[in-house]
Amino acid sequence: MKFLSEILKEKIVELIERVAEKASDPKGGITRLLYSKEWVDTQIELKKIMEEEGLTTYFDEVGNLYGCLEGDKLSEETIMTGSHVDTVVNGGKYDGMYGIIAGIVALGYLKEKYGKGRRNLEVVSFAEEEGSRFPTVFWGSKNFLGCENKEEVEYIEDGNGIVFKDAIHEAGFDFKKSSGNRRRNVKAFLEAHIEQGNILEIEKKEIGIVDSIAGQRRYKVEVVGTANHAGTTPMEYRRDAFYAASKMISSILDKARYYGNPLVATAGFIEVNPNVGNVVPGRAEFTLDIRHTEEEFLKKFTEEMISFMKETANECNVEVQVHMWMNEPPVPMNKEIVDCIEQVCDKKNIEYRVMHSGAGHDSQLIAKEIPTAMIFVPSENGISHNPNEYTDPHYLAKGVEVLIDSIYQLTYK
Amino acid sequence: MKFLSEILKEKIVELIERVAEKASDPKGGITRLLYSKEWVDTQIELKKIMEEEGLTTYFDEVGNLYGCLEGDKLSEETIMTGSHVDTVVNGGKYDGMYGIIAGIVALGYLKEKYGKGRRNLEVVSFAEEEGSRFPTVFWGSKNFLGCENKEEVEYIEDGNGIVFKDAIHEAGFDFKKSSGNRRRNVKAFLEAHIEQGNILEIEKKEIGIVDSIAGQRRYKVEVVGTANHAGTTPMEYRRDAFYAASKMISSILDKARYYGNPLVATAGFIEVNPNVGNVVPGRAEFTLDIRHTEEEFLKKFTEEMISFMKETANECNVEVQVHMWMNEPPVPMNKEIVDCIEQVCDKKNIEYRVMHSGAGHDSQLIAKEIPTAMIFVPSENGISHNPNEYTDPHYLAKGVEVLIDSIYQLTYK
């Protein structure tokens, strides 16, 4: 006789591989962009899998796929789980998909073991979250919540000039006829997801329970000085844009390092002009990505950061322009659900930690309307958005076990 | 009656424009690459101009052009002036060419006014200095000095895959039959050149007298860390290659700024990987260009710089590789010639300063064998290697006046 964890492990690995085949990219990993052929094939395959597990399935107008299990008492109350089906270009097998497959396996198991719950159960495969094909994000969960905006996306184009409205029709879907409607019967949302970071691995934890999703402020910083000959321009007569930029970046990151968790600050991109070894740079453009779980801290830190950059520009005799193009506030998860998952982990003797998510997820949108929490499983080497994305099957199964027991508490009790 | 300075001003401007026409680039400025059609046309035009000034002309085997005026006493002693004829891609009208035209005008003037000197006089238009077409520099002055190396360049290719030996033949020239020979009769070399910096302009000087050419050490620095998700990787678990690089660059440049003139330090180039706003950089490659007039200082500063980079890498948990690919020692100019030019300037009430050259010039090679000095004229806004390179005709004429009087001292006295 096999242990439950062994059965779950085999099943989840088999299903993840089965679905991955539909969107394997010859250039590596998985590419499953919104409304592409691979996306359609995958949603159809997921529908089949849901039905094999005894779930009733349907697509909404925009292509979110749902698998349902009716409850027998509180027919107006639904507990939902799931994640997004789309990937980045040359992404991995687990990002998004793990949460869908974990949900299907959990619901299949619960149905087989306990039959109908008191409340309805649903697993969702959201159409889109990544923003990898069209310049829009959270298209799936936005439609689920009724906060989508047709006008904003209808005529946007992908990298090949294909218009959003043609892509949605090509895939066999359409915009919602009546917008602003959201389903009022969903009482809780649970999203299982790979961590996409290395905290659980480093701290040797099997499960992360997400109690908040960090807020993000993202900036484009442009520093303008004067390009000059590297040999003939004395230091005191220079207006070196890259020198100023490197002072800004090193000091801001020093400071972020000093504050530490949950603050993260990243300068991930830089472009220097003319970018030639023997020319003093006349222009430097870089990005700053600042995240923290508290809005107040985020505000204070970024305000100080901007003053500091202006002072540095002044000191280096260059100009600086700071443009904030993203300002997502932190989103707390629902305390009752977090507590419920903690109790499940305690009872099962699972090594877990309560943590925030530094990455964005569908849950950050959903949590604004519906009590929500997330269950993280470790990512090997913290790698994600990459063909090398990997989670040990042991953790994949642990995540499903925790999901099963948490859903059980919310649905059958 | 016109003043001498007015006559010189008109003449030099006219000749610079006349020669510029032969290599005007439709994309802007002047492009006169070694052995190109524009280069050949220009050398032929310069030959014509030299002959119009009463000079005897000849090309050496590799295409250096000489214009000579025989002396009547010391026939074994030649005073030489000139510069390089090639430009960078989309360069200016003055870099190199000013020294050639100034030399021609000076010799023409001296011949007309004083007839033969005691010593021979020559002006040279060196074939190449910039390294803009083939990966080699100082091809002209190296051949003049007999320190060229045929084997090193014969099969190197330009950006279009054209081989050096085909290019030299196409232009009607060839490699020297007997190498290692240098002309022993040149007793002094004087190079007039635009400053290519902004010191003279800022300090409101008409002339710069170069007493040394700075040594240069150039480095490629490679920093390797680990690329990671900008949201999910806490500061303490990062191996951020660009953060480490920015700490290195800002501190090294801070230090160079503290020491000041004649030290200059430049990080002109950086490439970050993957260079995406929301990914912690896993790799950063940048350049350092360090120059100073004293070998001892250069050595000490760069040694400290390398230790500091290693410490910083250690502290940031990244790897660093520092590769020095250029190590040109400082070259002092000849004190007697510098003094002679100073006396000329004093006598003519010219606002001048004695200075070093931070840029490399043919003179740095020649000075190792022949007593040499340089005369700088101001560059507007310090701009060079650019279509906007410009020197006010007033200064162009001042430079020629100083060149005339200095050559007179060396040749006719």
Side-chain angles (χ1 to χ4, degrees), chain B residues 305-336:
Chain B
M305 171 185 98
I306 291 167
S307 313
F308 172 76
M309 289 197 281
K310 287 181 179 165
E311 276 165 39
T312 305
N314 223 22
E315 193 206 322
C316 297
N317 195 22
V318 296
E319 314 291 326
V320 68
Q321 290 247 345
V322 184
H323 169 62
M324 177 167 74
W325 62 271
M326 187 196 279
N327 183 7
E328 291 283 343
V331 179
M333 298 289 102
N334 180 272
K335 195 172 174 327
E336 281 73 35

Side-chain angles (χ1 to χ4, degrees), chain A residues 196 232 238 243 247 254, chain B residues 196 232 238 243 247 254 266:
Chain A
Q196 305 183 278
T232 60
R238 295 185 176 202
Y243 166 56
K247 278 176 91 77
D254 276 346
Chain B
Q196 305 182 278
T232 60
R238 295 184 177 203
Y243 166 56
K247 278 176 92 77
D254 275 346
T266 308

Side-chain angles (χ1 to χ4, degrees), chain A residues 61-286:
Chain A
E61 291 116 304
V62 301
N64 290 320
L65 168 66
Y66 302 82
C68 316
L69 198 57
E70 236 175 51
D72 60 4
K73 295 272 187 308
L74 304 164
S75 66
E76 283 308 292
E77 296 189 8
T78 296
I79 306 301
M80 188 179 266
T81 186
S83 191
H84 60 96
V85 71
D86 70 318
T87 66
V88 298
V89 175
N90 302 115
K93 291 175 188 167
Y94 304 89
D95 181 3
M97 187 54 76
Y98 172 63
I100 302 169
I101 298 285
I104 299 173
V105 171
L107 265 57
Y109 176 86
L110 286 163
K111 185 187 180 198
E112 200 183 306
K113 179 133 189 199
Y114 305 107
K116 285 188 173 183
R118 299 173 68 228
R119 297 182 171 82
N120 307 315
L121 266 173
E122 269 183 60
V123 56
V124 61
S125 169
F126 284 129
E128 195 271 347
E129 184 251 21
E130 298 284 1
S132 298
R133 179 172 179 184
F134 293 99
T136 184
V137 291
F138 298 120
W139 177 243
S141 45
K142 274 181 184 164
N143 273 280
F144 164 69
L145 293 167
C147 64
E148 83 287 358
N149 187 336
K150 179 182 167 183
E151 281 68 38
E152 261 177 21
V153 300
E154 197 166 6
Y155 293 103
I156 60 177
E157 291 179 11
D158 72 4
N160 297 316
I162 297 171
V163 175
F164 194 96
K165 81 176 172 75
D166 294 335
I168 191 171
H169 292 154
E170 175 74 23
F173 298 100
D174 206 341
F175 296 101
K176 279 164 77 178
K177 276 177 198 73
S178 56
S179 190
N181 278 349
R182 85 159 176 92
R183 285 177 46 190
R184 298 282 156 192
N185 64 338
V186 180
K187 299 302 170 192
F189 184 81
L190 270 158
E191 182 175 10
H193 206 284
I194 55 166
E195 182 196 351
Q196 305 183 278
N198 53 10
I199 298 173
L200 296 176
E201 183 179 73
I202 290 173
E203 301 188 356
K204 298 195 175 16
K205 305 290 182 190
E206 299 172 286
I207 291 292
I209 304 170
V210 178
D211 64 350
S212 72
I213 295 178
Q216 304 184 22
R217 294 189 176 199
R218 297 208 202 164
Y219 299 84
K220 192 181 92 173
V221 183
E222 201 184 343
V223 185
V224 179
T226 305
N228 259 316
H229 193 296
T232 60
T233 318
M235 298 310 281
E236 80 239 53
Y237 296 153
R238 295 185 176 202
R239 300 180 65 230
D240 184 337
F242 180 41
Y243 166 56
S246 69
K247 278 176 91 77
M248 295 172 189
I249 291 163
S250 60
S251 295
I252 291 164
L253 269 56
D254 276 346
K255 208 168 174 185
R257 223 174 158 195
Y258 166 78
Y259 284 117
N261 219 16
L263 175 67
V264 284
T266 309
F269 169 91
I270 182 141
E271 193 179 85
V272 162
N273 258 293
N275 211 29
V276 173
N278 60 354
V279 180
V280 177
R283 203 176 154 281
E285 188 182 311
F286 62 94

